[in-house]
Amino acid sequence: MTEFSNGMIEKIIKEIEHFAPVAEEEHIGRITAVGDGVVSIEGLDRAIMSEVISFDQTEGKKLKDALESQDVLYGLILNLEEDGVKAVVLGDTARLREGMLVKSTGRVLSIPVGDKIIGRVVDPLGDPIDGLGAVPGTEYRPIEREAYSVIERKSVSTPLQTGIKAIDSMIPIGRGQRELIIGDRFTGKTTIAIDTIIAQKHEPKETRPICIYVAIGQKESKTARIMAELREAGAMEYTIVVDAPASAPAALQFLAPFAGATIGEYFMDKGRDALVIYDDLSKQAVAYRQLSLLLRRPPGREAYPGDIFYLHSRLLERAAKLSDAKGGGSLTALPIIETQEGDVSAYIPTNVISITDGQIYLDAGLFNKGVRPAIDVGISVSRVGSAAQTKAMKSVAGTLRLSLAQFRELEAFVQFAQDLDPETAKRIDDGRRMVEVLKQGRGSPMPFEDQVVVLYAATNGYLNTVPIPRLREAEKKLLEYFDAQHKKIMDTIRTDKAINDGAKDLLNKALEQFMQTHPDLSK
């Protein structure tokens, strides 16, 4: 650090005293009240919404200490009022007090983005918090921007493989889509999101999406466990983590999803694909409610600020599939919402359901029965639908969703019946078999071609002789068999993304051979 001589300090003091009287008052304000992460400021007549301000902490310090200190405290203007402005503090409020000077920076809040940030853990302001040093060679982008217009977009048509059989077959997600993951606490919402990130390692490197996981108000132990899981799976090489833990100020929890969207937009604008996961927006809503009430904004329905819908809509509208003229990049959003006792009709859930292009609803009852992932196909939907599915997946999963939804209703209807007619009994048995086939362990996403082979075998009756408790074992042996004996069929399905007549004949013969060589599975 530079050492200041007495002469230099006197010279600097004289220069400050000389220029201070002529400084424009509209660029300087003074704190009138401070508390709970929010400050009221008089002055700053030219302030703009979302502008960054800096707090002058030199007052009362020795000038030498102030000049040597590089620890600057910033705030973000969120209220423009007649007699001043109100701002949230992006740091420790205890360092501020009434009467302190506030200076305008003239810029809206921006964060660093770039390829060098891949594999890193950053806070909502873009500063690395993983102890690996600064991120070099980055550019700055505003944390909020207007979403692309309809003219600048095109239809979602490329699938985003989640590696989860139940989702890729029945509730397909496309690149550029917004698909809500919703359910009660401890029903596996985060697991689906993390498995989706891990599944991208099966994609070719040149088309693999860059994944951004935004942890909002989560325990730091949970985030650390997720990062360890991603590292173990080799997924951190294409993943960025934005962390605003429960211990972070409400302002940072409010900003974290916007930071994730900004980082994702950088890759989208470069013509690449990106996936951003907001875990979860319920906690962002709580943080925003806290800030809004401290800023004296009026509460709306259910004591939430009336503009909470605008908050989530302007965030999620930034997900898009861009037109070829704009580079053809995409940003896929998977927001997570936590419900209370399965109440999807509450204010925040209905808000986000109406904004997104579909939802994956996780049912606590199914979860407790051991169905993992606990997806309720009755109210889960993808509004993009089969447009985001390959021909191979369409051919094996065409009526799967409808038949499974009918099975759920039939199962509830006949649970107390003693005698069932043969047709009803068969439909119940087929439904239970399919539920078992669609079960999948945590952290084990499947490549697209593996899913197709398993679902083809199940829907075409090849596994009908296998007892239901042994279906998971049969699936494992089936994939091992194909990997060892019929790798060419798997390669054909992966490259063509369709099952043509030739591939279908080979597939049928291979499945018949498998059942003949594994008669023990039918016992």
Side-chain angles (χ1 to χ4, degrees):
M1 189 63 72
T2 306
E3 291 290 335
F4 291 90
S5 65
N6 291 333
M8 286 176 67
I9 290 176
E10 289 176 8
K11 184 179 179 182
I12 291 171
I13 292 171
K14 286 181 180 178
E15 287 181 359
I16 292 173
E17 290 172 348
H18 175 73
F19 286 110
V22 296
E24 295 186 37
E25 290 184 2
E26 57 266 29
H27 293 306
I28 295 179
R30 192 174 291 275
I31 296 176
T32 57
V34 57
D36 295 318
V38 171
V39 291
S40 299
I41 302 164
E42 63 177 6
L44 295 181
D45 296 338
R46 288 191 183 179
I48 59 175
M49 195 66 172
S50 296
E51 182 181 358
V52 177
I53 53 176
S54 64
F55 298 101
D56 184 3
Q57 300 176 79
T58 62
E59 200 171 340
K61 288 184 179 180
K62 292 181 180 179
L63 189 53
K64 179 179 177 181
D65 295 338
L67 289 169
E68 290 185 351
S69 174
Q70 296 181 350
D71 187 15
V72 183
L73 191 60
Y74 292 103
L76 182 68
I77 294 176
L78 288 184
N79 266 26
L80 301 176
E81 301 172 353
E82 287 185 18
D83 55 349
V85 301
K86 284 183 180 173
V88 295
V89 183
L90 304 176
D92 184 10
T93 315
R95 291 160 57 184
L96 303 179
R97 64 179 184 280
E98 291 182 25
M100 270 189 177
L101 289 180
V102 182
K103 297 174 184 176
S104 170
T105 63
R107 61 181 178 86
V108 295
L109 182 61
S110 301
I111 63 166
V113 295
D115 286 301
K116 298 288 186 183
I117 207 171
I118 298 174
R120 302 297 300 272
V121 184
V122 298
D123 66 13
L125 301 180
D127 297 323
I129 53 175
D130 51 9
L132 300 178
V135 180
T138 54
E139 64 176 82
Y140 280 79
R141 290 199 172 199
I143 205 166
E144 283 218 51
R145 60 174 268 188
E146 191 174 336
Y148 281 103
S149 66
V150 174
I151 302 299
E152 296 170 308
R153 304 177 183 225
K154 70 176 181 180
S155 299
V156 174
S157 58
T158 309
L160 178 90
Q161 302 292 350
T162 66
I164 300 168
K165 289 172 289 187
I167 295 176
D168 290 342
S169 61
M170 298 185 292
I171 317 152
I173 300 172
R175 299 191 182 193
Q177 189 176 343
R178 299 156 298 178
E179 184 78 7
L180 172 64
I181 302 172
I182 185 169
D184 284 3
R185 200 175 179 202
F186 298 126
T187 51
K189 301 184 297 297
T190 301
T191 299
I192 285 180
I194 298 305
D195 283 356
T196 302
I197 292 178
I198 296 172
Q200 304 315 308
K201 70 181 179 184
H202 300 308
E203 295 292 312
K205 200 167 186 179
E206 58 274 9
T207 59
R208 180 186 294 161
I210 300 298
C211 302
I212 302 110
Y213 175 75
V214 185
I216 311 156
Q218 305 291 339
K219 291 181 181 177
E220 294 189 56
S221 58
K222 177 185 175 181
T223 307
R225 176 178 53 77
I226 288 169
M227 287 172 55
E229 193 175 338
L230 291 173
R231 284 198 182 97
E232 187 178 347
M236 277 305 288
E237 64 183 42
Y238 54 84
T239 303
I240 302 156
V241 176
V242 180
D243 187 22
S247 58
L252 294 183
Q253 293 184 43
F254 154 66
L255 290 171
F258 292 100
T262 301
I263 294 169
E265 279 177 334
Y266 166 82
F267 297 103
M268 177 174 67
D269 291 341
K270 298 288 184 183
R272 300 162 70 178
D273 294 316
L275 164 68
V276 60
I277 291 159
Y278 306 114
D279 189 10
D280 63 58
L281 292 188
S282 305
K283 292 184 173 63
Q284 188 208 19
V286 170
Y288 182 65
R289 177 173 179 263
Q290 178 184 334
L291 289 176
S292 294
L293 296 179
L294 288 169
L295 291 165
R296 303 284 180 176
R297 293 179 180 176
R301 177 181 161 189
E302 295 188 15
Y304 269 95
D307 56 350
I308 189 70
F309 179 89
Y310 176 53
L311 172 77
H312 286 152
S313 64
R314 73 178 192 260
L315 169 68
L316 294 169
E317 283 296 330
R318 291 165 72 173
K321 172 67 175 175
L322 295 185
S323 65
D324 294 335
K326 283 286 180 181
S330 72
L331 177 61
T332 309
L334 295 182
I336 294 174
I337 288 287
E338 184 180 300
T339 55
Q340 305 292 330
E341 297 294 328
D343 184 11
V344 294
S345 63
Y347 184 41
I348 302 299
T350 50
N351 271 356
V352 185
I353 286 172
S354 65
I355 296 164
T356 51
D357 306 314
Q359 67 275 349
I360 298 168
Y361 177 68
L362 302 178
D363 182 70
L366 291 176
F367 186 87
N368 293 332
K369 286 180 185 176
V371 179
R372 316 282 169 85
I375 297 173
D376 185 338
V377 294
I379 63 173
S380 298
V381 64
S382 170
R383 296 188 183 100
V384 172
S386 60
Q389 264 183 325
T390 60
K391 289 181 179 179
M393 189 61 81
K394 281 184 200 176
S395 65
V396 299
T399 60
L400 185 59
R401 185 172 179 275
L402 179 61
S403 61
L404 205 58
Q406 289 174 341
F407 158 70
R408 290 280 180 220
E409 290 188 10
L410 191 61
E411 186 185 38
F413 183 71
V414 302
Q415 61 181 326
F416 299 113
Q418 297 294 325
D419 297 321
L420 299 175
D421 62 272
E423 185 182 346
T424 303
K426 184 178 184 306
R427 291 177 67 182
I428 291 285
D429 184 67
D430 289 346
R432 286 174 178 161
R433 286 181 172 282
M434 192 50 64
V435 168
E436 192 67 25
V437 167
L438 291 174
K439 286 183 181 179
Q440 201 163 336
R442 173 180 178 170
S444 56
M446 293 171 64
F448 153 74
E449 61 274 15
D450 287 9
Q451 295 183 51
V452 170
V453 168
V454 170
L455 291 173
Y456 184 89
T459 55
N460 286 277
Y462 286 102
L463 302 178
N464 282 358
T465 58
V466 180
I468 291 177
R470 299 196 65 187
L471 279 169
R472 301 283 293 278
E473 179 191 347
E475 175 191 304
K476 183 181 178 183
K477 288 185 175 180
L478 175 66
L479 293 175
E480 289 173 351
Y481 173 77
F482 268 80
D483 192 48
Q485 304 289 334
H486 298 282
K487 199 164 181 64
K488 190 175 179 181
I489 298 176
M490 308 292 271
D491 293 340
T492 302
I493 295 172
R494 182 170 59 250
T495 52
D496 295 350
K497 301 193 184 305
I499 304 176
N500 53 39
D501 292 338
K504 185 178 284 189
D505 292 339
L506 292 171
L507 197 52
N508 288 331
K509 287 177 183 176
L511 287 167
E512 287 170 6
Q513 289 173 8
F514 170 74
M515 294 309 297
Q516 289 170 6
T517 54
H518 291 78
D520 58 304
L521 288 174
S522 300
K523 296 177 182 178

